[in-house]
Amino acid sequence: MRILLLILFYTTVHAQDFSMPLWPSEVPNQLESSSIEQQEQRDLLWITNVQSPEIAVFLPTKRHANGQAVLICPGGGYAGLAYDWE
């Protein structure tokens, strides 16, 4: 019983498979900045001063994979990203 609970807990926690950079080498037209990316946990995860944008990839199980994808973009605009709001 404990092993079953551990497996169920692990599969729900291990949701993000990998991250990949949005641009392979450098961000086009990026201005040099001394800003540091910051994360603040309010009632949601708020990220500001993004210097290296990435795409978080969440893959379905092989049983549920059908070749389709959904793109979810965090809200917040240029001020910051409301990462887990959407």
Side-chain angles (χ1 to χ4, degrees):
M1 181 66 175
R2 289 182 184 177
I3 293 175
L4 179 60
L5 290 174
L6 180 63
I7 291 170
L8 290 174
F9 177 74
Y10 178 76
T11 56
T12 57
V13 170
H14 185 67
Q16 182 179 352
D17 293 323
F18 62 94
S19 294
M20 55 189 273
L22 189 57
W23 287 281
S25 55
E26 60 183 40
V27 178
N29 302 317
Q30 183 178 23
L31 301 175
E32 201 167 313
S33 171
S34 61
S35 297
I36 298 172
E37 183 173 311
Q38 298 177 352
Q39 297 184 8
E40 181 182 343
Q41 186 68 49
R42 304 176 186 174
D43 54 335
L44 54 95
L45 179 60
W46 184 252
I47 304 173
T48 57
N49 299 324
V50 175
Q51 301 297 311
S52 300
E54 296 180 340
I55 296 175
V57 179
F58 300 87
L59 296 173
T61 61
K62 291 186 183 225
R63 178 178 176 208
H64 293 101
N66 60 10
Q68 298 180 355
V70 175
L71 179 63
I72 301 173
C73 300
Y78 289 110
L81 303 173
Y83 185 77
D84 53 1
W85 183 260
E86 309 306 329

